[in-house]
Every structure is written in structure tokens, then in C-alpha cells.
Amino acid sequence: MEAMVASQPVIKIAAICGSLRKASFNRGLIRSAIELTKESVKGMEIEYIDISPLPMLNTDLEVDGTYPPVVEAFRQKILQADSYLFACPEYNYSVTGPLKNAIDWASRPPNVWADKAAAIVSAAGGSGGARAQYHLRQIGVYLDLHFVNKPEYFLNAFQPPAKFDSDGNLIDEESKEKLKAVLLALRAFTLRLQGIC
Ligand SMILES: Cc1cc2nc3c(=O)[nH]c(=O)nc-3n(C[C@H](O)[C@H](O)[C@H](O)COP(=O)(O)O)c2cc1C
């Protein structure tokens, strides 16, 4: 944390998207969250962390406790963040392979996720990603992540009216308002966990 907003610190949030697709709706949620922090939601900075360069986890790539440079750079970003925003698509009722891969790399010793707050948002089909989110929460138990419980954010991306444009940008105002509530809850919980308020 660096700057202060009305005597409270500005928290650093690392945002991770489980989809590698260019026009990913979930990535669109992160872009929208970043826009919100530049407009109406103050007291936080969100950095999008690209997980696409990470190799598939293979512990043979670890040499004397060190990691490939791209993995080490990712781990540093995770370590330096105050909390996390997961944009969590649902593949076959669970988290996506790319997201699990990124989570696993940052869990290698020392586990750099530990004792941090996190929030989850999803855009998916029918349940809006609920099943994937609950799997992610279960994974978080072992990582020692602390998830914001409410509000939950499940967005059915395919139900009319359109929620996203063809580039994956969130265009639905109601969904933006709900996203704002998630960000405010994440900020409050992060500060509480850090003993700041
Ligand atoms: C391999 C695969 C499995 C999927 N399984 C589910 C699923 O279990 N539940 C669901 O709601 N959507 C499922 N979908 C649809 C995704 O929710 C949809 O493609 C969504 O747009 C993915 O997120 P993205 O736009 O961020 O890439 C699946 C898509 C793929 C490619």
C-alpha cells in the first residue's frame, strides 16, 4: 500500500482472469473494474496480471528452489498485492485449466497467496459460474486465501439483453453497479484483515 485516500491507504489488487480468449467476458469484467476505480470507486488500484505466458506446471522446471523467470515475475506480483480479484469462467462445472495452473505456480513454496483477501466475479452460462466459484473457494482453503462472502457475482453472459459487446466489454449498467459493490466489499475486507479498520 502506498498512497492514502481520506486517511485510509490505497490497496493494491492483483486481478487474474481464467480465460485466455481475446474477447473474454471475464477479462471484460476486470477491464470494467479497472475503469470503475478510475471513476467512482476510490481507494484501490487494480493491476491486471496476464497468466497466459505461464508454462504448464512441471516441478522439473524448478531448480534448487528457483522458478523460471516468467513464473518468478508472476509470483512477485502475487506477493506484492494486498488482495486479489479473480475473474473466474466456468469450464465443465469447475475453474479453467489456465487459472488452476496459475494458482498452482503461486502456491509452490513459499505459498505467495497466503493470508490475503480475495473476491470472485464470473461471467458464464446458466449458473453464471457459481459451480466454478465454489471450487475456487475450496482451493482457497488450502492456499489460506480469505474470500469475501457477499455480495456474490454470477453473471449469465448469454441471457438477453446483451451484457457484453463483441470485444468482451461489459455494457450492462446494472452489472457494473453490482461489480462496484464487490470492489467496495473487497476493499473493506482487505483493510479489516490487515487490521487497518
Ligand atoms: C471447455 C468449455 C467448457 C465450458 N463449460 C461451461 C460450464 O460448465 N458452465 C458454464 O456456464 N459455461 C461453460 N462454458 C461456456 C463458458 O462459460 C463461456 O464460453 C464463457 O464465455 C467463457 O468465459 P470467457 O468469455 O471469459 O472466455 C464452457 C466453455 C468451454 C470452452
Side-chain angles (χ1 to χ4, degrees), residues 17 19 21 23-27 89-94 123-129 131 158:
C17 177
S19 171
R21 209 164 66 83
S24 157
F25 300 145
N26 287 277
R27 176 83 208 284
E90 183 170 292
Y91 283 0
N92 300 313
Y93 283 12
S94 190
S127 76
R131 298 175 186 95
F158 303 104

Side-chain angles (χ1 to χ4, degrees), residues 30-174:
I30 292 178
R31 275 196 303 277
S32 194
I34 291 172
E35 275 168 29
L36 286 169
T37 62
K38 291 179 179 156
E39 296 162 3
S40 50
V41 183
K42 299 297 172 194
M44 66 191 87
E45 285 169 7
I46 302 178
E47 183 182 2
Y48 167 66
I49 313 292
D50 183 12
I51 61 171
S52 65
L54 294 172
M56 285 297 285
L57 192 138
N58 175 352
T59 53
D60 290 347
L61 299 176
E62 303 175 10
V63 181
D64 297 330
T66 67
Y67 299 95
V70 69
V71 173
E72 192 50 50
F74 172 69
R75 288 172 54 85
Q76 281 304 315
K77 293 278 186 192
I78 298 304
L79 185 66
Q80 286 158 12
D82 293 307
S83 52
Y84 311 110
L85 177 65
F86 289 97
C88 178
E90 183 170 292
Y91 283 0
N92 300 313
Y93 283 12
S94 190
V95 301
T96 67
L99 179 59
K100 184 62 164 56
N101 187 54
I103 287 171
D104 289 344
W105 270 125
S107 76
R108 297 293 296 152
N111 167 24
V112 288
W113 299 108
D115 208 22
K116 301 267 180 79
I120 318 173
V121 293
S122 298
S127 76
R131 298 175 186 95
Q133 286 202 20
Y134 289 126
H135 278 186
L136 180 53
R137 284 176 183 269
Q138 183 178 341
I139 294 164
V141 173
Y142 190 72
L143 303 173
D144 194 22
L145 275 172
H146 309 288
F147 286 103
V148 168
N149 284 330
K150 287 180 181 176
E152 294 184 295
Y153 193 98
F154 309 124
L155 180 56
N156 185 326
F158 303 104
Q159 195 173 41
K163 307 293 187 302
F164 296 91
D165 68 16
S166 57
D167 293 323
N169 296 306
L170 184 65
I171 54 171
D172 181 58
E173 288 305 320
E174 193 182 332

